[in-house]
Amino acid sequence: AQSVAQPEDQVNVAEGNPLTVKCTYSVSGNPYLFWYVQYPNRGLQFLLKYITGDNLVKGSYGFEAEFNKSQTSFHLKKPSALVSDSALYFCAVRGYNNAGNMLTFGGGTRLMVKP
Amino acid sequence: DTAVSQTPKYLVTQMGNDKSIKCEQNLGHDTMYWYKQDSKKFLKIMFSYNNKELIINETVPNRFSPKSPDKAHLNLHINSLELGDSAVYFCASSQEDTSYEQYFGPGTRLTVT
């Protein structure tokens, strides 16, 4: 069975500084990896995905993520954080089981960007 | 122009009641999902429907039943509500075998008293 770990419950960063939100995964076969963001009282918004190709994928709002197969990681990054980036971030992996495809989410990381 | 919509946004009800949550997507996707987000924000998939066929059913009590009248709708029926059912329920959709990412509705906050 697939799994996702987000080791940090919260990440604090000052506005203008680079940010990293960590994610490691476990899945059989080639991983399909995703990042989502959730603002308070809202649904999840898709940020970016890795399916195949370049290990560095770019997504919405200036976010990017680096796929590292040897470390089974897919860390989310942004060169310069904004206060408006403060939200809950979820990493997810698409895997396979007897019932078909499924998306497994990590526990989420709360990003706090302070002015 | 909302891609994935859910109704109602809030639902407060008493234990033992039966309730439904509706979901509609206008993205033309072939797969729809229901997720439960608990108070600790943990997300767990409940159901998945592909072309009106249930393809995933996690360890969810049979009090929960998804109903899909057509490809654009996936409703969630809950019978004999319990206190532990209180959570936020999210509907989502995706186009499998092409883009894979899921698009989520705004959520329905269910409170059982």
Side-chain angles (χ1 to χ4, degrees):
Chain A
Q2 58 269 20
S3 65
V4 176
Q6 294 181 241
E8 301 154 317
D9 290 337
Q10 182 161 316
V11 170
N12 297 311
V13 64
E15 187 174 32
N17 284 359
L19 68 89
T20 298
V21 182
K22 295 180 180 178
C23 170
T24 58
Y25 66 89
S26 173
V27 68
S28 300
N30 293 325
Y32 291 10
L33 296 158
F34 305 83
W35 275 102
Y36 288 82
V37 60
Q38 185 179 26
Y39 296 99
N41 300 314
R42 302 286 294 275
L44 276 72
Q45 295 179 30
F46 169 73
L47 277 179
L48 50 80
K49 67 181 177 184
Y50 172 83
I51 304 297
T52 186
D54 195 349
N55 289 346
L56 185 65
V57 292
K58 294 186 183 298
S60 306
Y61 311 120
F63 284 93
E64 57 189 28
E66 186 167 12
F67 169 65
N68 188 316
K69 188 173 183 178
S70 63
Q71 297 185 4
T72 61
S73 67
F74 189 55
H75 300 332
L76 181 70
K77 299 181 181 184
K78 187 173 182 181
S80 179
L82 299 173
V83 173
S84 57
D85 291 331
S86 298
L88 188 57
Y89 290 80
F90 290 95
C91 181
V93 65
R94 181 175 181 266
Y96 300 84
N97 61 22
N98 291 336
N101 303 325
M102 64 179 295
L103 205 59
T104 300
F105 285 86
T109 298
R110 189 166 300 281
L111 174 66
M112 299 289 291
V113 182
K114 298 187 178 179
Chain B
D1 285 27
T2 304
V4 183
S5 59
Q6 296 178 228
T7 54
K9 188 170 176 63
Y10 299 96
L11 184 54
V12 181
T13 187
Q14 292 182 330
M15 286 176 54
N17 285 349
D18 303 337
K19 290 293 179 184
S20 295
I21 306 172
K22 295 185 177 181
C23 177
E24 177 180 4
Q25 57 97 0
N26 62 7
L27 297 167
H29 287 166
D30 63 0
T31 307
M32 296 183 71
Y33 311 82
W34 277 105
Y35 288 86
K36 179 180 180 181
Q37 186 174 45
D38 62 23
S39 58
K40 295 185 178 180
K41 304 299 183 183
F42 184 72
L43 270 165
K44 184 174 181 181
I45 189 165
M46 300 177 70
F47 301 104
S48 171
Y49 254 74
N50 180 284
N51 291 325
K52 298 181 68 174
E53 183 178 356
L54 182 67
I55 61 172
I56 299 175
N57 186 347
E58 290 292 296
T59 54
V60 173
N62 58 15
R63 298 181 295 102
F64 291 79
S65 57
K67 298 245 185 333
S68 180
D70 55 58
K71 201 171 84 166
H73 296 83
L74 182 64
N75 303 324
L76 182 64
H77 298 273
I78 317 170
N79 295 325
S80 303
L81 278 155
E82 300 177 357
L83 292 176
D85 297 333
S86 296
V88 180
Y89 292 84
F90 288 102
C91 176
S93 72
S94 70
Q95 183 63 34
E96 290 297 288
D97 298 328
T98 54
S99 55
Y100 306 109
E101 65 263 28
Q102 297 182 13
Y103 291 86
F104 284 74
T108 296
R109 183 174 295 277
L110 172 64
T111 303
V112 183
T113 62

